[in-house]
């Protein structure tokens, strides 16, 4: 019998995951994987936080724990604590019960559920996303039925923010359009607005009734401070307006594969928040019924214990500090080598990723001659670097810049 | 008093914080003013009501989650042991988009048979999914994308969320006769008529065993006839198998309908769930598989299933998959699991018998034969 799916074409390989596949196939001992979007230690190993291991043990040793379905919106204490984490414990929005928080499958799941809700209940179905942005963003919004427009963001000339372009493009958006904002540590560029620039963005958006949809994937992981990294979100919420926030615990708690995240919808009133939550449930039920229990239980265990929370902030700062230190080392080594060009963007940019400014040909050269694995847009993951491997990367960059166009 | 404090605090906040004085944000109304409160989920709403009831006599026979004889949820011993082995021992890296390869391999063996030629020939496109719901949804999205003109035939009645799933995937729905209220059994002729009258090449949702909500399953002979008619009509059979092992106590027995269709050469799709048979409800572990013409097509279809998963949740959750592969990959744990599944199934079968006998003893004027008959079909050949 013929298959009904015999006309299906093979989908292209994922460009990011393909880098790791190529890296794994390379036998060279000098190879470095700078494609990976997951934290690595100085030894190049994945890391499970100590505080996570403790929470894990606590859960496994508790015989009263069951594996029942959790509510459609997820674990109640996880949701409360997540809202508190991003908005701050003293947030009036929380105190006034104006926030609907729904546990979702990490950042991706939170974005998708939020987008589906917007498609059903919001009067505008266009979302503006920065250029460039995480490769999965347009797919998430398209599948939710939203149409995607871009606003200027990265300036290749300065390797910084194209702030004028951003203001113009958002200024030209139709009233009520949804705008995706990276809360901190923009992926893939590492370029963030300053707090003065954020304030201008906020004022512009509120004057045009643009709806903010924050993607917060790196809170605490970017600067080392949970509060600092939530600053952009909190100033928007402080003005009393509405917004959506997608939170991920993949990086800042190292819970990648457990798919832990939360969607918060900040509303004008408690009554509206409650109705909104009931409608989000109708999006979730036909997608996966209810979210997975394990990762959220770990997070809740940590966030509700002041001791574990404290220990977490220390480990989190440790990860952020190592990445910041890698930036510094790379920058200083390039200076010391006299590699042509201005490399200060490496220390100006923030978070796991750096847009080096290297072009496709230079990247291909570095892969072939020096076994450096990175995405062809010139993005490197600082997490994949260690003090030992910085010199090799510097040699590769130097060679690429001096020998390839 | 509290109200006055709130107003006072808000006023002083406004005075200190010039931001909120701009743009009259407080006078702007909510974007969500017109959002209506959604109706409660018909199934999960029952549990919400149960939890809210203070009566000591309350009984929850609503949600489909196993309870022991004391009415308590059960975590299987094999699961506890698997978790003890997993805790502290593994990294929490992202799984591939298609999920845990090991878990999917073991899961396919359960559905298709340990020695399945289809597994050997690599003809099955399979991805880890978010339990049965997630597997059905992925398939519905895939069906919409690659067979855009198609509809799904859904039995009457069925699990209420089936309707939500295919609706949100934007696949038009039709129904087919299934339950016979008079006999409280299968409306076999009605079913066969609907299958015959459906346009050639239609998509049908079938419950592999332990039909939810009726408990009424076709006999093996009836499955064979259904399969033959499907062949003649070139229909696509999508099996939702949420209760393998849990229905009769024997996983191979519970997969019989699927095996019949495979023998007859159908290229089927299957949604599998570990929510009930491993008690992993909240872990959301399942699998979607699609049997293809050959290995090349299986690779192709799998790549497209992954393209649907990526913008939904990127990659599936790790923990539940680790539990499943730890158990099924260890002969001792697997054997323990099979024992525990049989105990659960037997207790439920015992409850059917007890319920029926008690009602009859009380002299009920109605026939309660169906309470045990609805299980009995799983035992007959």
């Amino acid at each position: 019998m013929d298959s009904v799916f015999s006309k299906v074409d093979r989908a292209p390989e994922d460009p990011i995951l393909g880098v790791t596949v190529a890296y794994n196939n390379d036998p060279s001992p000098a190879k470095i994987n700078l494609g990976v979007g997951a934290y690595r230690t100085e030894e190049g190993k994945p890391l499970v936080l100590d505080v996570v291991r403790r929470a894990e043990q606590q859960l496994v040793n508790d015989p009263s724990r069951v594996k029942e379905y959790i509510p459609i919106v997820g674990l109640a204490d996880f949701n409360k604590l997540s809202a508190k984490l991003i908005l701050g414990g003293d947030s009036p929005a929380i105190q006034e019960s104006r926030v609907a928080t729904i546990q979702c499958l990490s950042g991706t799941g939170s974005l998708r559920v939020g987008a589906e809700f917007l498609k059903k209940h919001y009067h505008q179905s266009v979302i503006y996303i920065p250029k460039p942005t995480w490769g999965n963003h347009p797919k998430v919004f398209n599948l939710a039925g939203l149409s995607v427009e871009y606003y200027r963001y990265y300036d290749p000339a300065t390797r910084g923010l194209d702030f004028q372009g951003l203001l113009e493009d958002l200024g030209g958006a139709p009233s009520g359009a949804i705008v995706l904002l990276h809360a901190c540590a923009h992926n893939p560029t590492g370029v963030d607005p300053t707090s003065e620039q954020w304030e201008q963005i906020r004022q512009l958006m509120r004057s045009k009734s643009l709806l903010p949809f924050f993607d917060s994937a790196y809170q605490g992981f970017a600067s080392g401070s949970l509060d600092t990294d939530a600053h952009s979100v909190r100033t928007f919420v402080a003005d009393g307006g509405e917004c959506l926030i997608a939170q991920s615990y993949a990086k800042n708690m190292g819970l990648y594969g457990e798919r832990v995240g939360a969607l918060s919808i900040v509303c004008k009133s408690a009554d509206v928040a409650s109705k909104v939550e009931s409608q989000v449930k109708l999006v979730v039920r036909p997608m996966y019924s209810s979210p997975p229990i394990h990762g959220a239980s770990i997070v809740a265990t940590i966030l509700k214990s002041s001791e574990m929370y404290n220990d977490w902030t220390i480990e989190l700062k440790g990860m952020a500090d190592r990445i910041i230190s890698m930036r510094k080392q790379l920058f200083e080594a390039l200076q010391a080598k006299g590699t042509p060009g201005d490399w200060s963007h490496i220390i100006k940019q923030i978070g796991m990723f750096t847009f080096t400014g290297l072009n496709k040909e230079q990247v291909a050269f570095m892969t072939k001659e020096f076994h450096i694995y990175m995405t062809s847009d010139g993005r490197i993951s600082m997490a994949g670097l260690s003090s030992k491997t910085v010199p090799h990367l510097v040699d590769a960059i130097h060679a690429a810049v001096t020998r390839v166009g | 008093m509290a109200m006055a404090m709130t107003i006072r605090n808000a006023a002083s906040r406004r005075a200190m914080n010039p931001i909120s004085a701009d743009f009259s944000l407080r006078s702007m109304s909510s974007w969500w003013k017109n959002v209506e409160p959604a109706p409660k989920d018909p199934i999960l709403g029952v549990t919400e009501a149960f939890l809210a009831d203070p009566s000591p006599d309350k009984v929850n026979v609503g949600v489909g989650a196993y309870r022991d004889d004391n009415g308590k949820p059960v975590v299987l011993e094999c699961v506890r042991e698997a978790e003890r082995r997993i805790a502290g021992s593994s990294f929490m890296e992202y799984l591939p988009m298609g999920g845990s390869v090991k878990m999917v391999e073991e899961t396919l063996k359960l559905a298709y048979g340990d020695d399945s030629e289809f597994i050997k020939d690599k003809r099955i496109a399979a991805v880890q999914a978010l339990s049965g719901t997630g597997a059905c949804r992925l398939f519905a999205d895939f069906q919409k994308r690659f067979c855009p003109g198609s509809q799904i035939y859904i039995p009457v009645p069925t699990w209420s969320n089936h309707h939500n799933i295919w609706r949100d995937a934007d696949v038009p729905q039709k129904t087919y006769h299934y339950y016979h209220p008079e006999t409280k059994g299968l409306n076999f002729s009605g079913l066969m008529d609907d299958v015959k009258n459906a346009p050639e090449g239609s998509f049908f949702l079938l419950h592999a065993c332990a039909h939810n909500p009726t408990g009424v399953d076709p006999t093996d002979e009836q499955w064979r006839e259904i399969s033959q008619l499907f062949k003649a009509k070139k229909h696509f059979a999508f099996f939702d198998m949420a209760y393998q092992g849990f229905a009769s106590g024997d996983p191979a027995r519970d997969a019989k309908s699927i095996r019949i269709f495979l023998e007859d050469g159908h290229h089927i799709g299957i949604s599998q769930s570990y929510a009930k048979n491993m008690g992993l409800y909240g872990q959301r572990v399942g699998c979607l598989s699609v049997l293809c013409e050959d290995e090349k097509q299986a690779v192709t279809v799998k790549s497209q299933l992954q393209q649907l998963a990526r913008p939904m949740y990127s990659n599936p959750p790790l923990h539940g998959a680790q539990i499943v592969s730890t158990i099924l990959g260890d002969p001792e744990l697997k054997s323990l699991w099979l024992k525990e599944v049989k105990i659960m199934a037997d207790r439920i079968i015992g409850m059917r018998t007890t319920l029926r006998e008690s009602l009859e003893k009380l002299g009920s004027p109605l026939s309660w034969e169906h309470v045990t008959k609805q299980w009995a079909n799983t035992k007959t050949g």
Side-chain angles (χ1 to χ4, degrees):
Chain A
M1 249 188 282
D2 261 359
S3 169
V4 293
F5 301 119
S6 47
K7 299 280 186 327
V8 173
D9 278 327
R10 179 91 178 260
E13 286 287 345
D14 186 286
I16 300 173
L17 303 176
V19 169
T20 294
V21 169
Y23 167 85
N24 287 335
N25 290 334
D26 184 333
S28 163
K31 64 181 179 176
I32 309 178
N33 187 357
L34 299 178
V36 68
Y39 182 80
R40 292 287 177 267
T41 62
E42 259 285 311
E43 294 72 39
K45 295 262 176 294
L47 176 69
V48 177
L49 300 187
D50 188 68
V51 77
V52 167
R53 286 277 182 239
R54 278 155 56 199
E56 228 191 356
Q57 279 304 322
Q58 220 175 289
L59 293 173
V60 98
N61 291 331
D62 181 358
S64 74
R65 288 197 58 77
V66 293
K67 302 220 167 302
E68 296 287 281
Y69 293 121
I70 61 181
I72 300 175
V73 297
L75 292 176
D77 50 1
F78 168 84
N79 287 337
K80 265 206 197 57
L81 292 161
S82 294
K84 201 170 150 220
L85 184 67
I86 187 68
L87 298 179
D90 55 357
S91 168
I94 294 181
Q95 282 157 12
E96 293 158 18
S97 304
R98 294 192 281 114
V99 186
T101 303
I102 298 99
Q103 178 193 337
C104 290
L105 280 99
S106 209
T108 308
S110 305
L111 290 166
R112 176 64 178 270
V113 169
E116 297 261 345
F117 168 78
L118 291 174
K119 174 69 179 161
K120 280 195 167 93
H121 297 283
Y122 188 58
H123 66 284
Q124 267 281 15
S125 60
V126 63
I127 182 164
Y128 279 70
I129 68 180
K131 194 171 160 75
T133 192
W134 181 45
N136 204 21
H137 276 143
K139 295 181 196 170
V140 170
F141 299 125
N142 278 326
L143 282 218
L146 299 177
S147 63
V148 170
E149 292 290 338
Y150 287 87
Y151 62 91
R152 278 170 284 171
Y153 192 84
Y154 179 69
D155 185 350
T158 60
R159 295 190 186 115
L161 183 64
D162 178 0
F163 191 50
Q164 274 323 301
L166 182 156
L167 290 176
E168 272 171 39
D169 289 346
L170 292 190
S175 170
I178 309 157
V179 178
L180 177 75
L181 301 164
H182 293 226
C184 70
H186 180 271
N187 177 1
T189 67
V191 169
D192 285 346
T194 62
S195 48
E196 292 75 31
Q197 289 171 327
W198 270 122
E199 175 54 21
Q200 275 189 263
I201 293 169
R202 185 194 66 77
Q203 288 187 15
L204 172 62
M205 285 183 60
R206 293 313 197 187
S207 74
K208 293 198 48 93
S209 304
L210 302 177
L211 179 67
F213 196 158
F214 283 97
D215 186 351
S216 174
Y218 299 99
Q219 187 188 3
F221 197 83
S223 69
S225 155
L226 289 158
D227 289 328
T228 303
D229 291 346
H231 185 71
S232 61
V233 174
R234 292 180 188 179
T235 51
F236 272 74
V237 173
D239 71 13
E242 298 178 316
C243 66
L244 282 77
I245 307 161
Q247 266 172 290
S248 166
Y249 289 97
K251 285 87 175 169
N252 63 9
M253 269 210 202
L255 290 173
Y256 308 93
E258 299 297 353
R259 318 314 291 128
V260 208
L263 167 70
S264 282
I265 304 180
V266 180
C267 308
K268 277 289 181 173
S269 71
D271 181 55
V272 168
S274 152
K275 287 194 274 200
V276 161
E277 183 183 290
S278 73
Q279 290 292 348
V280 174
K281 280 156 85 166
L282 295 193
V283 167
V284 170
R285 179 60 159 151
M287 215 186 263
Y288 51 84
S289 282
S290 57
I293 185 175
H294 188 69
S297 305
I298 292 177
V299 171
T301 302
I302 293 170
L303 294 183
K304 65 160 81 106
S305 150
S306 52
E307 200 202 322
M308 289 181 97
Y309 180 90
N310 259 330
D311 291 345
W312 172 50
T313 60
I314 293 168
E315 287 190 87
L316 183 51
K317 187 161 191 313
M319 289 195 287
D321 284 349
R322 190 180 100 64
I323 288 183
I324 291 167
S325 151
M326 286 300 102
R327 289 183 175 278
K328 196 157 170 283
Q329 284 185 38
L330 179 59
F331 171 70
E332 285 170 359
L334 285 165
Q335 297 269 64
K337 195 155 173 100
T339 305
D342 176 4
W343 298 98
S344 61
H345 56 281
I346 291 177
I347 46 176
K348 285 194 210 141
Q349 290 165 3
I350 189 167
M352 201 186 288
F353 301 113
T354 293
F355 244 28
T356 54
L358 297 163
N359 62 39
K360 246 193 342 216
E361 290 73 31
Q362 288 166 328
V363 170
F365 168 83
M366 284 168 58
T367 305
K368 186 156 180 285
E369 302 298 326
F370 288 86
H371 309 275
I372 308 290
Y373 290 84
M374 53 194 278
T375 48
S376 58
D377 56 4
R379 183 191 87 163
I380 58 175
S381 166
M382 303 308 297
L385 264 187
S386 71
S387 315
K388 282 195 280 299
T389 53
V390 163
H392 183 64
L393 176 62
V394 167
D395 288 344
I397 293 176
H398 190 91
V401 163
T402 52
R403 283 152 59 180
V404 181
Chain B
M1 177 63 164
M3 178 67 134
M5 298 254 301
T6 310
I7 293 172
R8 201 181 330 122
N9 288 342
S12 62
R13 253 200 314 277
R14 255 202 295 275
M16 287 189 323
N17 182 358
I19 291 176
S20 48
D22 297 343
F23 308 114
S24 308
L25 279 161
R26 292 205 181 275
S27 64
M28 267 170 63
S29 61
S30 170
W31 289 123
W32 319 117
K33 233 180 32 234
N34 297 323
V35 172
E36 293 294 322
K40 288 223 177 292
D41 186 280
I43 300 171
L44 304 177
V46 170
T47 293
E48 283 175 31
F50 167 82
L51 291 170
D53 184 334
S55 163
D57 296 327
K58 61 183 180 178
V59 176
N60 187 357
V61 287
V63 77
Y66 181 78
R67 294 286 179 270
D68 65 12
D69 211 49
N70 297 313
K72 297 269 171 285
V74 168
V75 177
L76 301 188
E77 215 7 79
C78 61
V79 168
R80 290 248 185 251
E81 175 55 30
E83 284 203 309
R84 278 191 285 268
R85 293 186 197 181
I86 292 164
S89 73
S90 73
F91 295 119
M92 290 175 180
E93 298 285 278
Y94 292 123
L95 282 174
M97 283 183 282
S100 158
V101 168
K102 186 147 183 279
M103 177 238 152
V104 167
E105 266 170 21
E106 292 295 336
T107 303
L108 293 183
K109 279 162 45 182
L110 278 179
Y112 293 82
D114 283 341
D115 301 311
S116 164
E117 63 186 279
F118 307 116
I119 296 179
K120 268 198 215 61
D121 295 342
K122 304 203 173 122
R123 283 177 53 189
I124 307 171
V127 295
Q128 179 184 339
L130 291 156
S131 209
T133 308
C136 286
R137 176 58 179 271
L138 267 189
F139 182 77
D141 281 350
F142 179 74
Q143 178 189 350
K144 175 66 180 179
R145 186 172 268 190
F146 294 101
C147 294
S150 66
Q151 299 163 326
I152 185 79
Y153 281 78
I154 294 186
V156 180
T158 194
W159 180 47
S160 56
N161 205 26
H162 280 143
H163 293 292
N164 299 333
I165 290 168
W166 268 271
R167 179 205 62 220
D168 272 23
D170 209 20
V171 174
Q173 301 174 28
K174 284 213 131 70
T175 57
Y176 63 92
H177 285 88
Y178 191 84
Y179 181 66
H180 210 308
E182 280 95 69
T183 63
K184 298 197 179 69
L186 183 66
N187 180 356
F188 186 58
S189 56
L191 184 158
M192 292 296 271
D193 279 345
D194 288 343
V195 171
K196 185 153 21 114
N197 293 331
E200 202 179 81
S202 295
F203 283 69
F204 275 77
L205 169 70
L206 304 164
H207 295 226
C209 65
H211 178 271
N212 178 2
T214 67
V216 170
D217 288 342
T219 61
D220 288 357
E221 195 35 57
Q222 288 171 327
W223 275 122
R224 289 200 180 91
E225 286 186 50
I226 295 169
S227 171
Q228 286 305 313
L229 184 53
F230 264 57
K231 237 177 140 168
K233 298 285 304 186
K234 298 195 172 68
H235 289 330
F236 184 94
F238 183 73
F239 284 93
D240 185 350
M241 183 158 66
Y243 299 99
Q244 188 183 12
F246 201 79
S248 71
D250 174 3
R253 184 78 204 70
D254 290 343
K256 192 73 169 117
S257 59
I258 287 175
R259 306 287 170 86
I260 288 170
F261 270 66
L262 290 172
E263 273 159 30
D264 286 350
H266 293 280
H267 293 171
I268 62 177
I270 309 177
S271 154
Q272 287 170 267
S273 166
Y274 286 102
K276 286 86 174 169
N277 62 11
M278 250 192 221
L280 294 178
Y281 309 92
Q283 303 288 342
R284 321 309 295 125
V285 209
C287 178
L288 167 65
S289 60
V290 178
L291 176 61
C292 302
E293 283 169 350
D294 52 36
E295 182 178 351
K296 181 157 175 274
Q297 194 184 76
V299 168
T300 301
V301 167
K302 181 178 169 177
S303 75
Q304 293 293 353
L305 292 174
Q306 290 178 172
Q307 287 293 306
L308 291 163
R310 175 63 159 153
M312 205 186 277
Y313 48 82
S314 280
N315 38 73
L318 178 61
H319 190 67
Q322 284 179 314
I323 295 175
V324 173
S325 32
T326 301
I327 292 172
L328 297 184
D330 175 317
E332 249 183 74
L333 280 182
K334 182 168 180 180
S335 157
L336 174 57
W337 171 58
L338 291 169
K339 266 201 206 66
E340 293 189 275
V341 160
K342 188 160 191 325
I343 290 171
M344 289 195 287
D346 284 348
R347 189 183 100 66
I348 288 180
I349 292 164
M351 281 301 99
R352 288 183 177 276
T353 308
T354 305
L355 177 62
R356 175 184 167 178
E357 284 174 358
S358 307
L359 286 164
E360 285 167 353
K361 218 180 280 176
L362 283 171
S364 169
L366 304 170
S367 163
W368 295 100
E369 200 184 37
H370 57 283
V371 171
T372 48
K373 192 151 178 273
Q374 284 162 1
W375 154 71
N377 281 337
T378 65
K379 289 290 212 181
T380 57

